[in-house]
């Protein structure tokens, strides 16, 4: 994932028309609730500092939000809004995975081609593991107690034992991995960004069980899972959310979302799926049933707010963004450079809907 985003905001759609259905969902009402979901930015936590960012990981039980910032991980208490510590020496850090039963956390360090192991209580570093080139997403599977790093430049997965830190194997993917998710039954699903495919990995034998194209999805990024109904929610850069049957990898639905999506989150209590879009919007989708899905809201956030974490305890959402330097008009034939982050402007946006509290 890119650590710096284009800051130009696209048009935020207030109500979305599903092509071909003739139905407008701007006034949709979620079954079991009194009103349409109404997530809003209710707080901004200013953290400042320099550098880009990537994944956000929220440990709801410990009330901690892990924020990856270029060379370090900032740890925020979400109840107080205060920084409680840092994990340093993580060059090019992308993601964080949590193993609560082992009191361990893990980071993927893209520039160092390593994974850092740290103590969840003290945040002290326990050790490091060598991975493939540019580890991006990182996932802990509680069934096998293994850690999977998805290596963006070597198109592979490095797998190591979460307790012993011994490397158990490398899995070739044949494409560039992006976000991944553990299904709770011993399988890991990962998006291949460059091939627009999804791949299912058996965490026990470390083999690819199946793969499937995601067409019409292009450049899949974020992914999350409804474990009860076995549905995967996948964000695609061509402005659609693709819903996939986790058992068969067949596509069940596609829905329009905002521009420059990155993260996807699913809340099993509210049955809402969220897409955080770099244009400055949050698309909210309701799972009406295992095979029916409705867009119920598009929320204005801020330009650049494309990574996200969900608090399963409070149902709040946390998005990261910053202010950016204005960019000059690109010269024809030249690659447009990304805007620079203005130092000291990095913030965490807190969104919630009062009906879920």
């Amino acid at each position: 994932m890119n650590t710096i985003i284009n800051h130009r905001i696209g048009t935020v759609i207030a109500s979305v028309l599903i092509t071909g259905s003739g139905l407008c969902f701007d006034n949709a009402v979620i079954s079991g609730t009194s009103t349409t979901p109404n997530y809003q930015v209710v707080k901004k936590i200013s953290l400042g500092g320099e550098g880009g960012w990537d994944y956000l990981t929220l440990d709801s039980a410990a009330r901690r939000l892990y924020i990856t910032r270029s060379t370090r991980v900032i740890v925020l208490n979400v109840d107080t809004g205060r920084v409680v510590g840092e994990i340093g020496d993580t060059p090019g850090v992308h993601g964080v995975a949590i193993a609560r039963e082992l009191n361990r956390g893990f980071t993927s360090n893209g520039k160092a081609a390593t994974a850092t192991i740290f103590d969840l209580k003290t945040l002290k570093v326990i050790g490091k593991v060598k991975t493939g080139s540019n580890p991006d997403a990182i996932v802990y599977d509680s069934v096998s107690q293994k850690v999977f790093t998805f290596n963006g430049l070597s198109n592979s997965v490095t797998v190591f034992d979460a307790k012993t830190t011994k490397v158990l194997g490398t899995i070739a993917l044949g494409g560039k991995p992006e976000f991944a998710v553990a299904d709770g039954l011993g399988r890991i699903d990962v998006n291949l960004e460059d091939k627009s495919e999804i791949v299912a990995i058996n965490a026990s034998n470390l083999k690819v069980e199946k793969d499937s194209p995601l067409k019409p999805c292009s450049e899949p990024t974020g992914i999350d899972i409804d474990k009860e109904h076995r549905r995967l929610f996948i964000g695609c850069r061509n402005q659609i959310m693709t819903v996939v049957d986790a058992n068969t990898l067949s596509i069940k639905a596609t829905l329009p979302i905002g521009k420059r999506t990155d993260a996807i989150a699913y809340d099993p209590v509210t049955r809402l799926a969220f897409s955080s879009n770099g244009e400055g919007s949050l698309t909210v989708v309701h799972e009406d049933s295992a095979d029916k899905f409705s867009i119920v809201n598009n929320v204005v956030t801020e330009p650049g707010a494309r990574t996200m974490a969900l608090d399963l305890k409070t149902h709040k959402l946390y998005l990261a963004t910053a202010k950016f330097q204005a960019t000059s008009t690109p010269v024809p034939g030249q690659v447009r450079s990304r805007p620079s982050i203005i130092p000291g402007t990095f913030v965490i946006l807190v969104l919630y809907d009062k009906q879920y509290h």
Side-chain angles (χ1 to χ4, degrees), residues 2 11 32 49 62 100 106 116 126 151 163 206 214 225 249 272:
N2 295 325
T11 301
R100 289 204 55 77
F106 312 89
T116 295
I126 297 170
N151 312 312
K163 291 186 288 187
L206 306 187
L214 289 171
I225 186 170
L249 298 189
L272 294 174

Side-chain angles (χ1 to χ4, degrees), residues 231-253:
R231 293 293 181 262
L232 295 164
F233 297 87
I234 298 171
C236 310
R237 288 284 166 83
N238 59 334
Q239 294 182 245
I240 61 173
M241 179 186 289
T242 303
V243 186
V244 173
D245 185 316
N247 296 321
T248 64
L249 298 189
S250 60
I251 294 175
K252 308 301 292 185

Side-chain angles (χ1 to χ4, degrees), residues 29-357:
V29 176
I30 288 185
S31 179
T33 64
S34 59
T35 60
T36 300
N38 187 30
Y39 273 82
Q40 296 180 347
V41 177
V42 296
K43 185 178 181 181
K44 296 182 182 181
I45 303 172
S46 179
L47 296 177
E50 296 185 3
W53 66 91
D54 209 335
Y55 295 93
L56 301 178
T57 301
L58 206 151
D59 183 345
S60 294
R63 317 304 302 140
R64 286 181 168 183
L65 177 66
Y66 294 86
I67 306 160
T68 59
R69 292 293 309 274
S70 298
T71 60
R72 66 202 186 282
V73 178
I74 298 170
V75 186
L76 184 77
N77 182 306
V78 292
D79 292 330
T80 66
R82 296 179 179 177
V83 174
V84 296
E86 255 188 29
I87 305 159
D89 190 25
T90 57
V93 63
H94 286 286
V96 176
I98 303 296
R100 289 204 55 77
E101 67 269 32
L102 302 177
N103 188 41
R104 287 188 172 187
F106 312 89
T107 74
S108 54
N109 310 321
K111 291 184 177 180
T114 61
T116 295
I117 303 97
F118 64 92
D119 184 289
L120 288 181
K121 293 180 180 177
T122 66
L123 302 181
K124 291 183 178 179
V125 173
I126 297 170
K128 291 189 178 182
V129 173
K130 189 66 178 175
T131 68
S133 182
N134 188 29
D136 191 346
I138 184 167
V139 169
Y140 170 69
D141 175 55
S142 60
V143 177
S144 63
Q145 294 194 327
K146 296 172 183 175
V147 179
F148 297 72
T149 71
F150 295 85
N151 312 312
L153 290 181
S154 53
N155 293 346
S156 66
V157 188
T158 300
V159 187
F160 63 90
D161 188 292
K163 291 186 288 187
T164 68
T165 71
K166 178 183 177 182
V167 174
L168 302 174
T170 301
I171 306 167
L173 292 176
K176 181 181 181 297
E178 256 291 319
F179 281 74
V181 66
D183 73 349
L185 299 175
R187 198 172 88 173
I188 312 295
D189 294 293
V190 58
N191 292 326
L192 298 188
E193 184 181 29
D194 57 344
K195 298 183 71 176
S196 296
E197 292 182 359
I198 185 167
V199 173
I201 298 169
N202 186 310
S204 177
N205 61 24
L206 306 187
K207 295 185 181 299
V208 172
E209 283 190 347
K210 60 181 67 177
D211 60 81
S212 181
L214 289 171
K215 188 177 181 180
C217 169
S218 177
E219 296 182 74
T221 57
I223 185 172
D224 206 352
I225 186 170
D226 170 4
K227 294 179 180 179
E228 179 184 358
H229 300 98
R230 305 290 296 161
R231 293 293 181 262
L232 295 164
F233 297 87
I234 298 171
C236 310
R237 288 284 166 83
N238 59 334
Q239 294 182 245
I240 61 173
M241 179 186 289
T242 303
V243 186
V244 173
D245 185 316
N247 296 321
T248 64
L249 298 189
S250 60
I251 294 175
K252 308 301 292 185
T254 59
L255 302 103
I257 58 176
K259 296 179 181 178
R260 298 193 299 280
T261 182
D262 204 352
I264 296 289
Y266 175 77
D267 189 328
V269 175
T270 64
R271 296 185 69 174
L272 294 174
F274 305 91
S275 171
S276 53
N277 312 310
E279 67 174 10
S281 71
L282 176 80
T283 305
V284 185
V285 173
H286 184 250
E287 183 184 46
D288 304 327
S289 70
D291 295 313
K292 183 182 178 184
F293 310 88
S294 303
I295 294 177
V296 291
N297 210 342
N298 277 276
V299 181
V300 175
T301 57
E302 289 189 10
R306 94 284 186 218
T307 53
M308 168 178 54
L310 166 67
D311 187 346
L312 293 174
K313 180 179 178 180
T314 66
H315 309 289
K316 292 180 181 179
L317 296 168
Y318 295 81
L319 283 70
T321 191
K323 301 297 182 183
F324 301 88
Q325 301 280 2
T327 55
S328 58
T329 303
V331 176
Q334 291 186 356
V335 177
R336 186 185 183 114
S337 60
R338 296 191 183 97
S340 299
I341 298 170
I342 299 174
T345 64
F346 180 76
V347 296
I348 298 294
L349 308 179
V350 184
L351 289 80
Y352 89 6
D353 186 331
K354 63 181 179 180
Q355 69 179 303
Y356 302 127
H357 297 270

